[in-house]
Amino acid sequence: MFIAGTYSADIVHNQPHSLIYNYIDPSDGGKMNINVPAFSVWNSGTLNYSVALNAENFTGTDYEITLNNLEIGHTVPSFVEIKGQAPITFTPAGGGVTSTRPLSALQITSNNTVFSTKTLTNAYQALNSTALPVAVGNKTSVPLKIKILSAQLASNFFEAGTYTFNLDVRTRSNDNSVADVKTIAVTIVTNAISYIRLKDENQSVVFNFLTAADYQTGKSVNMPGHLNITNNKPFQVYVKSTGNYFTLNSTPTSIPVSIVTVENGTGETQVISKPLSATSQNIIRNATPVLNKQLSIKYTIPPSQTGILFNKPTGVTYLTNVIYSFTNL
């Protein structure tokens, strides 16, 4: 281990009459001086990172990117500092208008308690509160990670596309006389994610027509949080039935599925009311990306359609299957 400074040692010649003495300049005072310069530099560190995010990364857990092999060489006590060069740049998958995300969506953290966690800004922040002492071998490992909290993942990195940003990591001496900077380039690609799930896979929509009033007023079944929708691209939702007529004991009847209207459930405004059909009907248009959107749906047989049920066998169950799907824009 060498600490910056000048090291001196006296030179004693115990053979004054030897020939070698003729080559020694006595004006140096009989000393040997070694000067160790002050420096604090990066010895190593990976400078480019590219990672991909998929559906499993958006389940409520934080995400970390380990910055590998960061190590400083120094002869003086040193600080490690970090900043972002600019806001995060986002380019949508498939093209589109480029936009930005805030640097504050990122944290810098470490498994070494010497280094504190910082929310990223565009100004240098010291990660250690006291200078790193000069270590044996004049090398100190700097184990850092980029951390994205689950809430920041959902709000700033969910949309499908490419996110890029640069980090500047700087090591410097306590008195700022020496310093060294590395720039680390990071690319995060969020892949396309899309699914529709029922709140309950065994959930059924049941209409019971038991009284004259049921036929006079019609029936509605509200299904709160009926669908769970995740899509990280703009999208449209469609609904259809497996056939144009209800079945009885697997045989089509004369009761058309179009007597049932699919519409907004409680608290919803974006569903376009459509009668069921074996042809897909567009019920949500030009929707923006959503993560775990709970969509309430109401199924209605209005009084104008109940007459179709007259003179049909009673005490039996008429069935159809409803299928939801979507397309990305």
Side-chain angles (χ1 to χ4, degrees), residues 64-77:
E64 293 182 339
I65 303 170
T66 299
L67 302 180
N68 297 317
N69 306 317
L70 287 173
E71 179 187 271
I72 61 171
H74 57 126
T75 58
V76 291

Side-chain angles (χ1 to χ4, degrees), residues 78-129:
S78 298
F79 286 91
V80 174
E81 300 174 324
I82 196 160
K83 73 178 182 73
Q85 288 188 359
I88 302 162
T89 299
F90 170 65
T91 303
V97 179
T98 298
S99 58
T100 62
R101 302 292 187 270
L103 288 172
S104 58
L106 306 170
Q107 291 184 347
I108 302 299
T109 188
S110 176
N111 293 331
N112 188 334
T113 56
V114 169
F115 302 105
S116 59
T117 298
K118 299 289 186 182
T119 298
L120 198 63
T121 71
N122 60 1
Y124 276 117
Q125 299 178 85
L127 299 178
N128 48 313
S129 57

Side-chain angles (χ1 to χ4, degrees), residues 6-52:
T6 300
Y7 297 80
S8 299
D10 293 328
I11 300 176
V12 178
H13 306 286
N14 58 10
Q15 296 183 10
H17 300 295
S18 119
L19 291 176
I20 193 172
Y21 189 72
N22 295 325
Y23 295 96
I24 297 176
D25 183 359
S27 65
D28 65 0
K31 291 183 178 293
M32 178 177 65
N33 296 324
I34 299 177
N35 292 314
V36 176
F39 63 82
S40 183
V41 298
W42 291 103
N43 285 340
S44 62
T46 304
L47 300 183
N48 292 280
Y49 294 84
S50 183
V51 298

Side-chain angles (χ1 to χ4, degrees), residues 26-308:
S27 65
D28 65 0
K31 291 183 178 293
M32 178 177 65
N33 296 324
I34 299 177
N35 292 314
V36 176
F39 63 82
S40 183
V41 298
W42 291 103
N43 285 340
S44 62
T46 304
L47 300 183
N48 292 280
Y49 294 84
S50 183
V51 298
L53 300 180
N54 298 293
E56 60 268 21
N57 300 119
F58 296 92
T59 56
T61 57
D62 302 337
Y63 185 78
E64 293 182 339
I65 303 170
T66 299
L67 302 180
N68 297 317
N69 306 317
L70 287 173
E71 179 187 271
I72 61 171
H74 57 126
T75 58
V76 291
S78 298
F79 286 91
V80 174
E81 300 174 324
I82 196 160
K83 73 178 182 73
Q85 288 188 359
I88 302 162
T89 299
F90 170 65
T91 303
V97 179
T98 298
S99 58
T100 62
R101 302 292 187 270
L103 288 172
S104 58
L106 306 170
Q107 291 184 347
I108 302 299
T109 188
S110 176
N111 293 331
N112 188 334
T113 56
V114 169
F115 302 105
S116 59
T117 298
K118 299 289 186 182
T119 298
L120 198 63
T121 71
N122 60 1
Y124 276 117
Q125 299 178 85
L127 299 178
N128 48 313
S129 57
T130 57
L132 299 172
V134 179
V136 174
N138 293 91
K139 297 185 293 185
T140 299
S141 176
V142 182
L144 300 181
K145 297 178 181 180
I146 300 169
K147 185 174 186 177
I148 310 174
L149 299 177
S150 60
Q152 295 291 353
L153 275 175
S155 59
N156 288 300
F157 295 91
F158 174 66
E159 193 171 349
T162 302
Y163 303 80
T164 58
F165 56 92
N166 290 335
L167 305 176
D168 286 339
V169 286
R170 179 170 72 177
T171 178
R172 64 170 177 83
S173 62
N174 194 27
D175 62 1
N176 295 310
S177 61
V178 291
D180 188 31
V181 176
K182 271 189 180 296
T183 297
I184 297 173
V186 181
T187 299
I188 298 175
V189 177
T190 300
N191 292 320
I193 303 169
S194 61
Y195 56 81
I196 296 181
R197 295 170 180 164
L198 286 174
K199 180 180 180 180
D200 180 352
E201 292 297 331
N202 298 313
Q203 193 174 38
S204 296
V205 179
V206 179
F207 292 96
N208 288 312
F209 284 84
L210 304 175
T211 67
D214 292 336
Y215 291 90
Q216 292 169 350
T217 61
K219 299 282 284 188
S220 290
V221 179
N222 188 58
M223 307 292 283
H226 188 42
L227 301 178
N228 180 309
I229 299 177
T230 289
N231 199 318
N232 63 354
K233 292 183 177 182
F235 65 96
Q236 301 192 126
V237 176
Y238 295 82
V239 66
K240 72 174 184 176
S241 61
T242 50
N244 282 318
Y245 295 90
F246 283 93
T247 62
L248 177 61
N249 299 323
S250 300
T251 301
T253 68
S254 61
I255 303 173
V257 296
S258 58
I259 67 172
V260 178
T261 299
V262 177
E263 54 192 54
N264 282 307
T266 301
E268 303 293 346
T269 59
Q270 63 187 126
V271 176
I272 304 167
S273 297
K274 295 283 186 178
L276 273 180
S277 168
T279 301
S280 290
Q281 304 288 316
N282 184 191
I283 60 169
I284 296 179
R285 295 176 181 167
N286 304 321
T288 56
V290 292
L291 176 62
N292 293 324
K293 162 70 176 175
Q294 305 297 311
L295 184 68
S296 297
I297 295 289
K298 183 165 67 174
Y299 298 86
T300 297
I301 300 178
S304 61
Q305 298 293 331
T306 58
I308 295 174

